[in-house]
Amino acid sequence: MEMHRADLPDGGAEVTIRFTPREAEALGGDEMELLERLGRGLWAMVDWRTGRNREEWWPVILDAARLIKRLEGVRDAAVRDNPTNTHGKLAAWLGRPRQTIASQQRAGTLPPVEQTPEEQWARTGDRTVLPRWASLSGRVTNEIDDQRAR
Protein backbone atom coordinates (compact mmCIF):
# COMPACT_ATOMS: atom_id res chain seq x y z
CA MET A 1 0.00 0.00 0.00
CA GLU A 2 1.28 3.43 -0.92
CA MET A 3 -0.14 6.80 0.10
CA HIS A 4 0.70 10.11 -1.56
CA ARG A 5 -0.36 13.73 -1.38
CA ALA A 6 0.26 16.02 -4.32
CA ASP A 7 -0.30 19.77 -4.32
CA LEU A 8 -2.22 20.88 -7.39
CA PRO A 9 -1.60 24.04 -9.48
CA ASP A 10 -4.95 25.53 -8.39
CA GLY A 11 -3.93 25.34 -4.72
CA GLY A 12 -5.87 22.16 -3.98
CA ALA A 13 -4.40 18.80 -3.15
CA GLU A 14 -4.93 15.26 -4.32
CA VAL A 15 -4.53 12.30 -1.97
CA THR A 16 -3.98 8.88 -3.50
CA ILE A 17 -3.92 5.44 -1.93
CA ARG A 18 -2.63 2.67 -4.15
CA PHE A 19 -3.28 -0.98 -3.31
CA THR A 20 -1.54 -3.95 -4.83
CA PRO A 21 -3.87 -6.47 -6.48
CA ARG A 22 -3.56 -8.71 -3.41
CA GLU A 23 -4.40 -5.84 -1.02
CA ALA A 24 -7.35 -4.72 -3.15
CA GLU A 25 -8.73 -8.25 -3.23
CA ALA A 26 -8.31 -8.67 0.54
CA LEU A 27 -10.09 -5.38 1.26
CA GLY A 28 -12.92 -6.14 -1.14
CA GLY A 29 -14.12 -2.54 -1.30
CA ASP A 30 -14.21 -1.97 2.47
CA GLU A 31 -11.62 0.78 2.05
CA MET A 32 -14.24 2.92 0.29
CA GLU A 33 -16.63 2.73 3.21
CA LEU A 34 -13.91 3.76 5.66
CA LEU A 35 -12.80 6.59 3.37
CA GLU A 36 -16.39 7.84 2.98
CA ARG A 37 -16.75 8.08 6.74
CA LEU A 38 -13.34 9.72 7.13
CA GLY A 39 -14.28 12.12 4.34
CA ARG A 40 -17.32 13.33 6.26
CA GLY A 41 -15.01 14.15 9.17
CA LEU A 42 -12.60 15.98 6.87
CA TRP A 43 -15.47 18.07 5.47
CA ALA A 44 -16.47 19.03 9.01
CA MET A 45 -12.87 20.01 9.80
CA VAL A 46 -12.79 22.23 6.71
CA ASP A 47 -16.07 23.85 7.82
CA TRP A 48 -14.74 24.59 11.32
CA ARG A 49 -11.40 25.88 10.06
CA THR A 50 -12.96 28.16 7.45
CA GLY A 51 -15.82 29.42 9.60
CA ARG A 52 -18.53 27.84 7.47
CA ASN A 53 -21.73 27.03 9.33
CA ARG A 54 -23.25 23.59 8.92
CA GLU A 55 -26.99 23.20 9.43
CA GLU A 56 -26.94 19.55 10.42
CA TRP A 57 -24.25 17.78 12.41
CA TRP A 58 -25.89 14.36 12.72
CA PRO A 59 -24.21 12.93 9.59
CA VAL A 60 -20.78 13.86 10.98
CA ILE A 61 -21.58 12.38 14.38
CA LEU A 62 -22.99 9.19 12.86
CA ASP A 63 -20.10 8.62 10.45
CA ALA A 64 -17.47 9.40 13.08
CA ALA A 65 -19.07 6.94 15.51
CA ARG A 66 -19.21 4.21 12.88
CA LEU A 67 -15.65 4.84 11.74
CA ILE A 68 -14.43 4.69 15.34
CA LYS A 69 -16.24 1.36 15.89
CA ARG A 70 -14.58 -0.13 12.80
CA LEU A 71 -11.16 1.14 13.85
CA GLU A 72 -11.69 -0.26 17.35
CA GLY A 73 -12.10 -3.65 15.69
CA VAL A 74 -8.77 -3.19 13.93
CA ARG A 75 -7.15 -2.11 17.21
CA ASP A 76 -8.61 -5.05 19.14
CA ALA A 77 -7.32 -7.52 16.54
CA ALA A 78 -3.85 -5.96 16.71
CA VAL A 79 -3.82 -6.04 20.53
CA ARG A 80 -5.01 -9.65 20.54
CA ASP A 81 -2.41 -10.78 18.00
CA ASN A 82 0.64 -8.98 19.45
CA PRO A 83 2.49 -11.52 21.61
CA THR A 84 4.82 -8.87 23.09
CA ASN A 85 2.07 -6.73 24.64
CA THR A 86 2.81 -5.46 28.10
CA HIS A 87 0.73 -3.03 30.12
CA GLY A 88 3.47 -0.42 29.71
CA LYS A 89 3.71 -0.82 25.93
CA LEU A 90 -0.06 -0.73 25.44
CA ALA A 91 -0.34 2.31 27.71
CA ALA A 92 2.25 4.16 25.63
CA TRP A 93 0.71 3.12 22.30
CA LEU A 94 -2.87 3.90 23.34
CA GLY A 95 -2.05 7.05 25.30
CA ARG A 96 -3.66 5.78 28.48
CA PRO A 97 -2.38 5.25 32.03
CA ARG A 98 -0.74 1.87 32.64
CA GLN A 99 -3.18 1.17 35.48
CA THR A 100 -6.14 1.70 33.15
CA ILE A 101 -4.70 -0.78 30.63
CA ALA A 102 -4.04 -3.35 33.36
CA SER A 103 -7.58 -2.92 34.69
CA GLN A 104 -9.12 -3.24 31.22
CA GLN A 105 -7.14 -6.39 30.46
CA ARG A 106 -8.10 -7.97 33.81
CA ALA A 107 -11.75 -7.11 33.11
CA GLY A 108 -11.54 -8.62 29.62
CA THR A 109 -12.33 -5.38 27.82
CA LEU A 110 -8.98 -4.79 26.06
CA PRO A 111 -9.29 -6.67 23.89
CA PRO A 112 -12.77 -7.96 24.64
CA VAL A 113 -12.84 -11.61 25.74
CA GLU A 114 -14.88 -12.47 22.66
CA GLN A 115 -14.13 -10.90 19.30
CA THR A 116 -16.53 -8.05 18.58
CA PRO A 117 -18.37 -7.99 15.25
CA GLU A 118 -16.04 -5.18 14.20
CA GLU A 119 -12.96 -7.27 15.00
CA GLN A 120 -14.40 -10.20 13.09
CA TRP A 121 -15.05 -7.89 10.13
CA ALA A 122 -11.49 -6.48 10.29
CA ARG A 123 -10.06 -10.01 10.22
CA THR A 124 -12.34 -11.56 7.60
CA GLY A 125 -14.16 -8.84 5.66
CA ASP A 126 -17.44 -10.60 6.50
CA ARG A 127 -20.05 -7.84 6.58
CA THR A 128 -22.77 -10.21 7.76
CA VAL A 129 -21.41 -9.99 11.32
CA LEU A 130 -21.93 -6.23 11.46
CA PRO A 131 -24.98 -4.19 12.39
CA ARG A 132 -26.98 -3.33 9.27
CA TRP A 133 -26.52 0.15 7.81
CA ALA A 134 -25.91 1.66 4.39
CA SER A 135 -22.79 3.46 3.24
CA LEU A 136 -22.81 7.04 1.99
CA SER A 137 -22.42 5.80 -1.57
CA GLY A 138 -25.68 3.88 -1.29
CA ARG A 139 -23.85 0.57 -1.38
CA VAL A 140 -25.46 -1.65 1.23
CA THR A 141 -22.85 -2.47 3.83
CA ASN A 142 -24.46 -5.67 4.95
CA GLU A 143 -25.98 -7.07 1.78
CA ILE A 144 -26.98 -10.42 3.26
CA ASP A 145 -29.04 -8.81 6.04
CA ASP A 146 -30.62 -6.52 3.44
CA GLN A 147 -31.65 -9.54 1.38
CA ARG A 148 -33.05 -11.30 4.47
CA ALA A 149 -35.16 -8.23 5.28
CA ARG A 150 -36.92 -8.44 1.89
Side-chain angles (χ1 to χ4, degrees), residues 98-119:
R98 186 180 180 284
Q99 300 85 342
T100 301
I101 299 298
S103 175
Q104 287 179 312
Q105 287 195 313
R106 277 193 305 275
T109 60
L110 184 68
V113 174
E114 298 291 325
Q115 289 184 8
T116 62
E118 290 77 16
E119 182 179 349

Side-chain angles (χ1 to χ4, degrees), residues 76-86 89-90 93 105 123:
D76 290 345
V79 169
R80 190 181 310 280
D81 286 358
N82 186 350
T84 64
N85 283 339
T86 64
K89 285 181 182 179
L90 284 174
W93 295 333
Q105 287 195 313
R123 291 177 177 282

Side-chain angles (χ1 to χ4, degrees), residues 2-135:
E2 298 175 15
M3 292 181 268
H4 302 279
R5 178 192 164 155
D7 293 327
L8 300 175
D10 67 359
E14 183 174 278
V15 176
T16 306
I17 302 174
R18 179 172 187 318
F19 299 104
T20 65
R22 183 173 181 236
E23 292 166 339
E25 181 181 349
L27 290 170
D30 286 336
E31 73 281 359
M32 287 307 300
E33 181 182 328
L34 296 175
L35 289 170
E36 288 171 349
R37 301 200 183 287
L38 176 61
R40 178 86 71 183
L42 294 172
W43 286 327
M45 290 170 58
V46 167
D47 288 351
W48 290 317
R49 294 176 184 189
T50 61
R52 182 171 172 245
N53 290 326
R54 182 180 286 263
E55 290 184 28
E56 293 185 332
W57 287 100
W58 69 265
V60 175
I61 296 165
L62 184 65
D63 280 344
R66 289 178 171 163
L67 178 60
I68 289 166
K69 287 292 286 181
R70 293 294 177 91
L71 293 177
E72 285 173 343
V74 173
R75 179 211 54 208
D76 290 345
V79 169
R80 190 181 310 280
D81 286 358
N82 186 350
T84 64
N85 283 339
T86 64
H87 296 150
K89 285 181 182 179
L90 284 174
W93 295 333
L94 297 174
R96 296 186 194 158
R98 186 180 180 284
Q99 300 85 342
T100 301
I101 299 298
S103 175
Q104 287 179 312
Q105 287 195 313
R106 277 193 305 275
T109 60
L110 184 68
V113 174
E114 298 291 325
Q115 289 184 8
T116 62
E118 290 77 16
E119 182 179 349
Q120 292 173 31
W121 164 83
R123 291 177 177 282
T124 67
D126 181 2
R127 293 186 186 121
T128 64
V129 300
L130 295 169
R132 183 174 172 262
W133 39 272
S135 71

